[in-house]
Amino acid sequence: MKILVVTQQYWPETFRINEVVQSLRRAGCTVTVLSGQPNYPEGRIYEGYRATGIGKQAHPDGYLIYRVPVVPRAAGGALRLAANYFSFVLTASIFGPWLVRGQKFDAIFVYGVSPVLQAIPAIVLKALKRAALILWVQDLWPQSLEATGYVRNATLLSAVGIVTGWIYRRCTLVLVQSRPFAAEVSSLAGAGVVVAYHPNPGELTLSDGRPRHPSGLAFGNGFNLVFAGNLGKAQALATLVEAARLVAHDTDIRIVVVGSGSRSGWLQDEI
């Protein structure tokens, strides 16, 4: 199969879709990627890339990644995040078809982290390429907007729900990474859309047969609670800090945070 993967974030950014592409290639698929300029999670364009860059690059494994311009996330404020999201939707819809002109695909696969709007360029490409469209939902919309506090207006949340349902209904298949997502997605997509559970896979490095080496990060005795990942607004870090205050008297409990993001500085100040 020839597959076009549409994802705003991709290598050298660290997302599970990177390993999914590896797995698809190992299964015999020909994979091409359409993505933005890497700037996650710090919000700064990575060295060697330009926010206004348009073109292609070869991944070290030999396949092509097409890049379109994006407004970098910067510190992650609501307006800047909106500019980051909408810039990819716009540029991928305009330049994506030109970048992959003349190429045929059997399927277009969207890695559906927030925002679900990044599926819009894939809908454009589906019409042009006459390919199946698969959306793998990682975050629920409009629920994610409401939970993070970025949008509180009920009318606006309802409008986002209508747009999200419109996107779902244009998919050949919608995959959800959590079983409880299925009912929420189906309620917006309607009865005519196939919704299936497909969880995120584990780390490929844990099953490649290579010898394991001890971690450079050592934990002391006692109860160690570890969080690893993005340190942004959606992670409710204030709850973590408050929990730490509640158990501060118990020296056997340690909270270990591994990662970075828009609220790294805030978390360090609280600590």
Side-chain angles (χ1 to χ4, degrees):
M1 292 184 69
K2 294 182 178 180
I3 301 175
L4 175 64
V5 172
V6 178
T7 172
Q8 183 168 351
Q9 281 84 34
Y10 194 67
W11 175 91
E13 296 164 311
T14 305
F15 282 82
R16 185 63 77 233
I17 187 61
N18 301 357
E19 295 192 343
V20 171
V21 168
Q22 290 183 50
S23 297
L24 287 170
R25 284 170 47 80
R26 290 179 182 180
C29 298
T30 300
V31 182
T32 303
V33 178
L34 175 64
S35 187
Q37 303 296 332
N39 68 111
Y40 185 93
E42 298 296 338
R44 297 187 297 270
I45 298 295
Y46 285 24
E47 185 177 354
Y49 297 85
R50 293 181 297 111
T52 57
I54 305 173
K56 64 182 178 181
Q57 70 174 128
H59 187 276
D61 289 342
Y63 60 92
L64 290 179
I65 304 170
Y66 291 94
R67 303 279 186 185
V68 296
V70 294
V71 176
R73 299 167 65 92
L79 290 178
R80 192 64 184 234
L81 280 176
N84 175 253
Y85 295 155
F86 283 106
S87 65
F88 176 76
V89 172
L90 180 63
T91 61
S93 297
I94 294 173
F95 298 115
W98 177 74
L99 288 169
V100 299
R101 64 193 183 280
Q103 301 183 48
K104 294 183 178 180
F105 301 101
D106 299 301
I108 300 170
F109 185 90
V110 181
Y111 183 57
V113 293
S114 288
V116 71
L117 300 176
Q118 68 180 280
I120 292 176
I123 293 172
V124 174
L125 287 161
K126 173 194 176 186
L128 294 173
K129 301 295 181 181
R130 300 174 183 254
L133 175 56
I134 298 93
L135 170 61
W136 192 16
V137 175
Q138 299 290 312
D139 296 322
L140 289 177
W141 272 52
Q143 292 90 334
S144 293
L145 286 174
E146 185 176 16
T148 55
Y150 281 121
V151 177
R152 301 183 185 276
N153 183 279
T155 301
L156 185 54
L157 288 169
S158 177
V160 172
I162 291 171
V163 173
T164 302
W166 179 86
I167 289 171
Y168 291 160
R169 288 190 294 274
R170 272 135 192 87
C171 296
T172 310
L173 171 66
V174 178
L175 303 173
V176 293
Q177 56 95 344
S178 175
R179 290 190 192 278
F181 280 19
E184 299 286 349
V185 170
S186 294
S187 68
L188 290 176
V193 178
V194 178
V195 179
Y197 169 59
H198 186 77
N200 282 302
E203 298 275 358
L204 286 180
T205 54
L206 299 179
S207 60
D208 61 7
R210 289 186 292 182
R212 300 283 160 253
H213 301 289
S215 171
L217 183 62
F219 302 126
N221 295 325
F223 186 86
N224 296 289
L225 185 150
V226 183
F227 172 83
N230 179 44
L231 304 180
K233 191 169 184 179
Q235 282 65 50
L237 297 175
T239 303
L240 184 65
V241 171
E242 184 58 29
R245 289 194 181 101
L246 293 174
V247 299
H249 63 281
D250 192 333
T251 57
D252 285 334
I253 298 178
R254 297 175 183 82
I255 300 177
V256 182
V257 180
V258 184
S260 61
S262 62
R263 300 208 77 191
S264 297
W266 176 89
L267 181 61
Q268 188 63 51
D269 291 341
E270 291 296 302
I271 293 171

